[in-house]
């Protein structure tokens, strides 16, 4: 990747979350396929412990053009004791996004990631591979996926 003219990898993403005093989060993220455009995610903490990133959040994810991509939840569990977290999103894309992805109504997308606290715990950075996810169809069946998504991706 020493040549800056080469295309970016198409499946990786990173988000920086900032927590407010109530433990709610607002994140800005980059997805390689967005070509440098930034998107955002907001989350309301659903579990106790507002001073910690650990817990469950109700989240809404927006694309770079500020159109909603999905609603869902995010769970952050401590991984060790040095500020690392195991993160999981369970997202329900809006109908428009499902159509663009070619999925049936009601499909959920589940992503796993790893995060680390920054700036003394005020911020958290989380990274994931956008092409590795589990797709849950309506009715409860799961199917592990490893698929490079088109321009209509997850976030």
């Amino acid at each position: 990747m020493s040549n800056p003219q080469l295309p970016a990898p198409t499946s990786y993403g990173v988000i920086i979350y900032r927590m407010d005093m109530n433990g709610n989060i607002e994140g800005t993220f980059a997805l390689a396929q967005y070509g440098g455009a930034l998107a955002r995610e907001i989350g309301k903490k659903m579990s106790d412990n507002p001073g910690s990133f650990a817990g469950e959040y109700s989240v809404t994810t927006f694309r770079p053009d500020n159109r909603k991509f999905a609603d869902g939840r995010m769970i952050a569990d401590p991984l060790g004791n040095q500020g690392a977290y195991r993160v999981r999103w369970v997202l329900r894309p809006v109908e428009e996004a499902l159509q663009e992805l070619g999925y049936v109504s009601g499909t959920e997308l589940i992503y796993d990631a790893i995060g680390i606290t920054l700036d003394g715990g005020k911020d958290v950075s989380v990274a994931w591979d956008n092409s590795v996810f589990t797709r849950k169809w309506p009715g409860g069946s799961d199917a592990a996926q490893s698929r490079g998504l088109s321009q209509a991706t997850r976030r």
Side-chain angles (χ1 to χ4, degrees):
M1 298 208 58
S2 61
N3 181 349
Q5 300 304 313
L6 293 176
T10 59
S11 64
Y12 298 100
V14 64
I15 188 167
I16 305 288
Y17 288 111
R18 174 144 299 176
M19 287 188 298
D20 70 16
M21 292 174 51
N22 298 315
N24 299 319
I25 54 173
E26 184 164 344
T28 301
F29 67 91
L31 210 50
Q33 69 190 58
Y34 285 163
L38 299 178
R40 66 188 187 97
E41 181 170 273
I42 55 174
K44 178 174 174 48
K45 194 151 195 185
M46 305 306 291
S47 57
D48 291 334
N49 200 7
S52 169
F53 182 64
E56 185 170 343
Y57 299 81
S58 172
V59 296
T60 302
T61 301
F62 299 91
R63 299 174 189 203
D65 62 7
N66 212 31
R67 288 182 300 143
K68 186 193 295 190
F69 177 78
D71 288 312
R73 63 189 177 107
M74 182 192 74
I75 301 114
D77 290 317
L79 187 61
N81 60 5
Q82 295 185 343
Y85 291 90
R86 183 178 17 235
V87 177
R88 171 171 277 192
W89 289 278
V90 178
L91 299 175
R92 293 174 311 281
V94 297
E95 288 301 316
E96 176 188 10
L98 287 171
Q99 289 173 4
E100 291 170 358
L101 292 166
Y103 298 154
V104 298
S105 182
T107 298
E108 290 183 338
L109 303 177
I110 302 165
Y111 294 86
D112 291 306
I114 189 158
I116 187 169
T117 56
L118 307 168
D119 194 21
K122 292 187 224 172
D123 298 336
V124 178
S125 176
V126 179
W128 70 95
D129 182 343
N130 205 55
S131 68
V132 179
F133 61 95
T134 300
R135 183 173 61 192
K136 187 172 184 179
W137 287 286
S141 60
D142 292 352
Q145 298 292 308
S146 179
R147 173 181 174 191
L149 301 178
S150 69
Q151 293 295 342
T153 76
R154 160 183 162 358
R155 296 175 159 278

